[in-house]
Short mmCIF file of all heavy atoms in Angstrom, two decimals:
data_model
loop_
_atom_site.label_atom_id
_atom_site.label_comp_id
_atom_site.label_asym_id
_atom_site.label_seq_id
_atom_site.Cartn_x
_atom_site.Cartn_y
_atom_site.Cartn_z
N MET N 1 -82.18 22.89 42.65
CA MET N 1 -81.43 23.71 41.70
C MET N 1 -79.94 23.40 41.75
O MET N 1 -79.30 23.20 40.74
CB MET N 1 -81.69 25.19 41.98
CG MET N 1 -81.02 26.13 41.00
SD MET N 1 -81.68 25.93 39.35
CE MET N 1 -80.73 27.14 38.45
N ILE N 2 -79.38 23.38 42.97
CA ILE N 2 -77.94 23.13 43.10
C ILE N 2 -77.55 21.74 42.59
O ILE N 2 -76.56 21.60 41.87
CB ILE N 2 -77.50 23.33 44.56
CG1 ILE N 2 -77.61 24.80 44.91
CG2 ILE N 2 -76.07 22.85 44.77
CD1 ILE N 2 -77.24 25.12 46.33
N PRO N 3 -78.29 20.65 42.94
CA PRO N 3 -77.92 19.34 42.40
C PRO N 3 -77.92 19.31 40.88
O PRO N 3 -77.13 18.61 40.27
CB PRO N 3 -79.00 18.42 42.98
CG PRO N 3 -79.43 19.09 44.23
CD PRO N 3 -79.37 20.55 43.93
N LYS N 4 -78.82 20.11 40.23
CA LYS N 4 -78.84 20.14 38.77
C LYS N 4 -77.61 20.83 38.20
O LYS N 4 -77.19 20.56 37.08
CB LYS N 4 -80.10 20.84 38.29
CG LYS N 4 -81.38 20.07 38.60
CD LYS N 4 -82.59 20.81 38.07
CE LYS N 4 -83.89 20.05 38.36
NZ LYS N 4 -85.07 20.76 37.85
N LEU N 5 -77.04 21.77 38.96
CA LEU N 5 -75.87 22.50 38.47
C LEU N 5 -74.58 21.72 38.60
O LEU N 5 -73.63 21.98 37.88
CB LEU N 5 -75.72 23.81 39.24
CG LEU N 5 -76.73 24.92 38.90
CD1 LEU N 5 -76.53 26.09 39.85
CD2 LEU N 5 -76.59 25.38 37.47
N LEU N 6 -74.52 20.74 39.52
CA LEU N 6 -73.27 20.04 39.78
C LEU N 6 -72.70 19.34 38.55
O LEU N 6 -71.51 19.45 38.27
CB LEU N 6 -73.46 19.04 40.92
CG LEU N 6 -73.62 19.68 42.31
CD1 LEU N 6 -73.84 18.61 43.36
CD2 LEU N 6 -72.41 20.53 42.66
N PRO N 7 -73.52 18.58 37.77
CA PRO N 7 -72.94 17.95 36.59
C PRO N 7 -72.39 18.97 35.61
O PRO N 7 -71.35 18.76 34.98
CB PRO N 7 -74.12 17.17 36.00
CG PRO N 7 -75.05 16.97 37.14
CD PRO N 7 -74.91 18.20 37.99
N PHE N 8 -73.10 20.12 35.46
CA PHE N 8 -72.61 21.15 34.55
C PHE N 8 -71.28 21.72 34.99
O PHE N 8 -70.35 21.87 34.21
CB PHE N 8 -73.66 22.27 34.46
CG PHE N 8 -73.22 23.44 33.62
CD1 PHE N 8 -73.32 23.40 32.25
CD2 PHE N 8 -72.69 24.58 34.22
CE1 PHE N 8 -72.91 24.47 31.49
CE2 PHE N 8 -72.28 25.65 33.46
CZ PHE N 8 -72.39 25.59 32.09
N LEU N 9 -71.16 22.04 36.30
CA LEU N 9 -69.91 22.58 36.82
C LEU N 9 -68.80 21.57 36.72
O LEU N 9 -67.65 21.89 36.43
CB LEU N 9 -70.11 23.02 38.27
CG LEU N 9 -71.05 24.22 38.47
CD1 LEU N 9 -71.26 24.45 39.96
CD2 LEU N 9 -70.52 25.46 37.81
N CYS N 10 -69.12 20.31 37.00
CA CYS N 10 -68.11 19.26 36.95
C CYS N 10 -67.54 19.13 35.56
O CYS N 10 -66.35 18.99 35.37
CB CYS N 10 -68.74 17.94 37.40
SG CYS N 10 -67.59 16.57 37.41
N PHE N 11 -68.44 19.24 34.54
CA PHE N 11 -67.97 19.05 33.17
C PHE N 11 -67.20 20.26 32.66
O PHE N 11 -66.15 20.13 32.04
CB PHE N 11 -69.17 18.79 32.26
CG PHE N 11 -68.80 18.65 30.80
CD1 PHE N 11 -68.27 17.47 30.33
CD2 PHE N 11 -68.98 19.71 29.92
CE1 PHE N 11 -67.92 17.34 29.00
CE2 PHE N 11 -68.62 19.59 28.60
CZ PHE N 11 -68.10 18.40 28.14
N ASN N 12 -67.71 21.46 32.98
CA ASN N 12 -67.11 22.66 32.41
C ASN N 12 -65.95 23.20 33.21
O ASN N 12 -64.96 23.64 32.64
CB ASN N 12 -68.18 23.75 32.27
CG ASN N 12 -69.19 23.42 31.19
OD1 ASN N 12 -68.95 23.68 30.02
ND2 ASN N 12 -70.31 22.82 31.57
N SER N 13 -66.03 23.20 34.54
CA SER N 13 -64.99 23.83 35.35
C SER N 13 -63.84 22.91 35.64
O SER N 13 -62.69 23.32 35.70
CB SER N 13 -65.60 24.31 36.68
OG SER N 13 -66.61 25.26 36.41
N LEU N 14 -64.10 21.63 35.85
CA LEU N 14 -63.05 20.72 36.25
C LEU N 14 -62.48 19.93 35.09
O LEU N 14 -61.57 19.14 35.26
CB LEU N 14 -63.58 19.76 37.33
CG LEU N 14 -64.07 20.46 38.60
CD1 LEU N 14 -64.54 19.42 39.60
CD2 LEU N 14 -63.00 21.31 39.21
N ALA N 15 -63.06 20.10 33.91
CA ALA N 15 -62.50 19.48 32.70
C ALA N 15 -62.30 17.99 32.88
O ALA N 15 -61.28 17.43 32.53
CB ALA N 15 -61.19 20.16 32.30
N GLY N 16 -63.32 17.32 33.43
CA GLY N 16 -63.23 15.87 33.51
C GLY N 16 -62.68 15.34 34.80
O GLY N 16 -62.46 14.14 34.92
N LEU N 17 -62.40 16.18 35.81
CA LEU N 17 -61.82 15.69 37.06
C LEU N 17 -62.82 14.90 37.88
O LEU N 17 -62.43 14.24 38.83
CB LEU N 17 -61.28 16.86 37.88
CG LEU N 17 -60.14 17.63 37.24
CD1 LEU N 17 -59.64 18.69 38.22
CD2 LEU N 17 -58.99 16.71 36.86
N CYS N 18 -64.09 14.96 37.53
CA CYS N 18 -65.09 14.24 38.29
C CYS N 18 -65.40 12.89 37.67
O CYS N 18 -66.37 12.24 38.03
CB CYS N 18 -66.38 15.06 38.39
SG CYS N 18 -66.14 16.64 39.23
N VAL N 19 -64.61 12.46 36.71
CA VAL N 19 -64.85 11.18 36.07
C VAL N 19 -64.64 10.05 37.06
O VAL N 19 -63.69 10.04 37.82
CB VAL N 19 -63.89 11.01 34.87
CG1 VAL N 19 -64.11 9.67 34.22
CG2 VAL N 19 -64.13 12.13 33.87
#
Side-chain angles (χ1 to χ4, degrees):
M1 183 65 180
I2 292 179
K4 293 181 180 180
L5 287 174
L6 288 178
F8 176 81
L9 293 174
C10 181
F11 177 79
N12 290 276
S13 299
L14 300 181
L17 296 185
C18 299
V19 178

